[in-house]
């Protein structure tokens, strides 16, 4: 029986996302607050962004709701 190995999707920091879009990290936080991009909160309350969603947003692909 094959073992199930979950794939762990990379998470990006606001600074990493901001660097991709060449904007300020506060702009990325505003996008998350406005619902343009989804964020995940860490146990410490920091925002993280799924790499696949960020790249889709960067390339102008439509949002997918999960």
């Amino acid at each position: 029986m094959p073992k199930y190995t979950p794939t762990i999707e990379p998470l990006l920091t606001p600074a990493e996302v901001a660097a991709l879009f060449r904007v300020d990290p506060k702009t990325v936080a505003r996008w998350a607050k406005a619902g343009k991009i989804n964020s995940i909160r860490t146990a410490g309350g920091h925002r993280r962004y799924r790499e696949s969603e960020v790249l889709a947003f960067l390339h102008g692909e439509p949002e997918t709701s999960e």
Side-chain angles (χ1 to χ4, degrees), residues 17 21 23 26-38 57:
V17 176
F21 286 93
V23 297
K26 289 187 180 195
T27 301
V28 177
R30 280 194 295 272
W31 290 343
K33 188 175 180 183
K36 292 183 178 183
I37 190 167
N38 294 322
F57 186 55

Side-chain angles (χ1 to χ4, degrees), residues 34-49:
K36 292 183 178 183
I37 190 167
N38 294 322
S39 67
I40 298 169
R41 293 284 187 150
T42 66
H46 300 277
R47 290 184 191 269
R48 295 295 181 264
Y49 303 89

Side-chain angles (χ1 to χ4, degrees), residues 46-61:
H46 300 277
R47 290 184 191 269
R48 295 295 181 264
Y49 303 89
R50 286 185 180 95
E51 185 180 51
S52 62
E53 290 181 12
V54 170
L55 294 177
F57 186 55
L58 181 66
H59 292 96
E61 295 175 15

